[in-house]
Amino acid sequence: MTGTAPPAASRALDGTITIEIGELPISLRTTDPEFRALLARRYSSFVRAGTVLRTPSGPQNEKRAVVEFDLNLTPPGPVADQAIQARCEDGQWHISRGDFRAAFDLRTRRGHLTVATNPYAVDTMLRVVHSILLAPAGGLLLHASGGIRHGRGLLFSGISGAGKTTMARLAPPDVQLLTDEVSYLRRERSVFQVYGTPFSGELGIQGENVSAPLSAIYLIEHGPANRRERVPEAEAVRRLMRNILFFAREKCLVAEVFSTVCDLVRQVPVERLEFLPDARVWETIE
């Protein structure tokens, strides 16, 4: 699926809304139609029909959700604890922050979520769950903006203020924006594929629900001129590890993430990109 969008989404009829990012669907079931509509607007092109119709012959939808959450809504309020906690006990994951608590079991694909009635808490929960799902599958979430141009996936990674949003804002009209904040990578056979995400940063807009093979990663920083240079593999691993979104401390999963980054830098060029904040920088990476 290179630069192509999935079929048009529709809302499930049983109170379930399914958000599919990186071809991994996660279903949220709520009896509150207003919150369901809020999620549908927030995730728009990443929403698809997600009802799992349980019949004697099994689920009837085209792709069962990786995890199905039953939602319990609480009134919005201040986030007393901003720290994200993620741990696994006896095969069940527990994730929490001040505005949500979630638990799920990948063996049963079921979970429950108590969440404040705002989409930002759901946004954080989805990022954490996807980071856990991706780790053993050779994928990861990376602080990076990105786009697809001429069928090539390009990522621009850096710390806050390095220019991720600037690179997205300066993108030429023929670039399909994947994200200006959080990039989504999955290894498919021997190729790393990059996907659009609804996780937005300063631009406040979600990426397109498209994907392409990843062709290059640029470690960006502002400078007096537009120039680029190849980064040695060991340095590339160290710098990318600093920008990965991963919240669990389980040693086996941390090792999986590290192994994925090592494979990534062996397969995909990583370059340092120093740039001026104008559109000519995109000519530098052609």
Side-chain angles (χ1 to χ4, degrees):
M1 185 178 69
T2 303
T4 57
S10 62
R11 196 184 310 163
L13 299 178
D14 71 337
T16 298
I17 185 168
T18 297
I19 302 164
E20 183 169 345
I21 306 168
E23 298 185 2
L24 292 179
I26 293 177
S27 291
L28 307 174
R29 183 177 295 109
T30 174
T31 58
D32 188 316
E34 292 184 5
F35 191 65
R36 198 161 55 244
L38 180 66
L39 293 176
R41 291 192 300 271
R42 166 66 184 90
Y43 296 102
S44 57
S45 62
F46 292 85
V47 174
R48 71 163 174 80
T51 307
V52 179
L53 301 176
R54 290 182 173 79
T55 69
S57 59
Q60 298 299 302
N61 64 328
E62 72 280 5
K63 184 193 293 184
R64 183 181 174 186
V66 178
V67 186
E68 305 167 56
F69 286 97
D70 290 313
L71 267 63
N72 176 41
L73 300 179
T74 62
V79 180
D81 181 8
Q82 291 284 355
I84 296 171
Q85 305 292 329
R87 69 186 192 281
C88 187
E89 296 179 357
D90 299 324
Q92 186 170 77
W93 280 96
H94 299 268
I95 306 168
S96 63
R97 195 176 67 172
D99 51 355
F100 74 88
R101 299 189 310 277
F104 66 96
D105 191 327
L106 286 175
R107 295 165 298 188
T108 62
R109 299 192 182 193
R110 297 302 303 273
H112 60 268
L113 170 64
T114 299
V115 63
T117 52
N118 71 73
Y120 304 107
V122 173
D123 220 58
T124 301
M125 184 277 294
L126 288 174
R127 297 185 195 199
V128 179
V129 172
H130 274 280
S131 72
I132 293 169
L133 296 174
L134 285 170
L140 51 86
L141 298 180
L142 181 69
H143 274 299
S145 60
I148 299 173
R149 195 178 198 192
H150 309 313
R152 301 168 60 235
L154 306 170
L155 296 184
F156 307 95
S157 183
I159 61 175
S160 178
K164 297 186 294 294
T165 299
T166 301
M167 289 299 300
R169 187 181 293 118
L170 295 174
D174 63 345
V175 172
Q176 292 175 286
L177 180 65
L178 294 170
T179 176
D180 73 329
E181 176 68 15
V182 177
S183 290
Y184 194 110
L185 289 79
R186 282 183 62 190
R187 182 165 42 200
E188 299 181 4
R189 299 183 178 90
S190 60
V191 176
F192 280 94
Q193 195 86 354
V194 63
Y195 292 83
T197 79
F199 306 132
S200 60
E202 292 179 29
L203 288 182
I205 58 174
Q206 63 179 258
E208 296 186 47
N209 193 357
V210 294
S211 71
L214 178 59
S215 293
I217 300 175
Y218 297 99
L219 303 175
I220 57 174
E221 56 189 74
H222 294 286
N226 294 326
R227 54 174 173 255
R228 44 188 275 214
E229 61 180 356
R230 189 68 178 262
V231 178
E233 288 185 7
E235 181 184 349
V237 170
R238 287 194 298 271
R239 294 186 62 178
L240 288 176
M241 287 295 294
R242 297 172 193 160
N243 293 329
I244 289 172
L245 280 77
F246 195 69
F247 308 92
R249 297 184 178 181
E250 278 63 21
K251 291 182 179 179
C252 60
L253 290 186
V254 173
E256 293 276 10
V257 171
F258 180 74
S259 177
T260 295
V261 174
C262 291
D263 289 343
L264 177 64
V265 302
R266 283 192 290 264
Q267 296 181 36
V268 178
V270 178
E271 298 188 0
R272 174 176 172 267
L273 175 62
E274 190 175 283
F275 73 101
L276 291 166
D278 62 55
R280 288 174 297 178
V281 63
W282 279 85
E283 300 173 8
T284 305
I285 61 177
E286 275 297 293

